[in-house]
Amino acid sequence: MVVNELASVQEVIMVYIGSLSQKSRNSDYLQELYRFSQWCGPDKQIDKVSAPEVGDYNENAILRLGIENSANRLTEVKKLLIYAYKEGFITQNLSQHVRLRRPRKNASGKSISLKNGKSNSSNKESLTKQGVAELNRELEALKNKGFK
């Protein structure tokens, strides 16, 4: 595998987009490639992008978009990194550092979004210190009855 050491992140993205069919060029997902380029530095040589940079971008995207929305957009970044590896632009497969997470489900089977630390459930309740203390007392009572 011959590595093209002079290719910048932006150049590899342009070559990758050019390799896609017209149908595959979804602007929402391709916008994530632009963000990835800005994160790494568009003029940075792609073979200088590190695994921690990719991991940090992944975590940032999940926080920015939420778990539900990040999966599709991060898939496009993952595909770009697989393409760059297969085409010899990078020697290390950085795509493994893009981790797509599934939304967590609550007891009722509804998805929980971690964006802004809030859930998607419409049953939102706030607990006061008194409410937390009451729940702790109830928990202790259940433990004393043999529930774990």
Side-chain angles (χ1 to χ4, degrees):
M1 180 183 302
V2 177
V3 177
N4 185 349
E5 296 177 3
L6 302 177
S8 70
V9 173
Q10 188 172 13
E11 290 169 339
V12 172
I13 289 173
M14 297 310 290
V15 171
Y16 169 70
I17 291 171
S19 73
L20 298 175
S21 67
Q22 190 65 32
K23 186 178 178 183
S24 299
R25 296 179 188 175
N26 181 322
S27 64
D28 289 341
Y29 301 155
L30 296 181
Q31 186 178 13
E32 201 59 39
L33 296 178
Y34 171 77
R35 283 192 179 101
F36 179 72
S37 170
Q38 295 303 308
W39 179 271
C40 296
D43 297 327
K44 183 177 189 172
Q45 291 177 353
I46 194 148
D47 65 330
K48 302 291 186 215
V49 175
S50 67
E53 277 181 286
V54 174
D56 289 346
Y57 179 79
N58 182 76
E59 292 301 315
N60 178 274
I62 290 170
L63 290 174
R64 177 173 41 88
L65 299 166
I67 291 177
E68 289 178 4
N69 298 324
S70 66
N72 289 334
R73 290 178 181 242
L74 286 173
T75 297
E76 209 54 52
V77 174
K78 189 173 188 98
K79 288 179 185 178
L80 165 73
L81 294 171
I82 291 169
Y83 175 83
Y85 178 67
K86 286 183 177 179
E87 294 298 317
F89 290 106
I90 54 178
T91 57
Q92 181 185 6
N93 186 0
L94 296 174
S95 68
Q96 64 190 354
H97 299 285
V98 178
R99 293 180 180 88
L100 308 175
R101 296 185 184 168
R102 293 183 185 172
R104 294 189 301 173
K105 305 276 183 185
N106 63 14
S108 66
K110 293 182 180 178
S111 294
I112 298 173
S113 172
L114 295 181
K115 186 175 182 182
N116 300 327
K118 298 179 182 176
S119 74
N120 286 341
S121 174
S122 60
N123 297 334
K124 295 181 183 177
E125 295 182 27
S126 297
L127 286 178
T128 62
K129 289 180 183 179
Q130 181 184 3
V132 171
E134 195 172 305
L135 286 173
N136 283 329
R137 283 192 296 274
E138 187 179 337
L139 176 62
E140 285 303 315
L142 289 171
K143 284 182 180 178
N144 291 337
K145 289 182 180 179
F147 292 101
K148 292 185 180 182

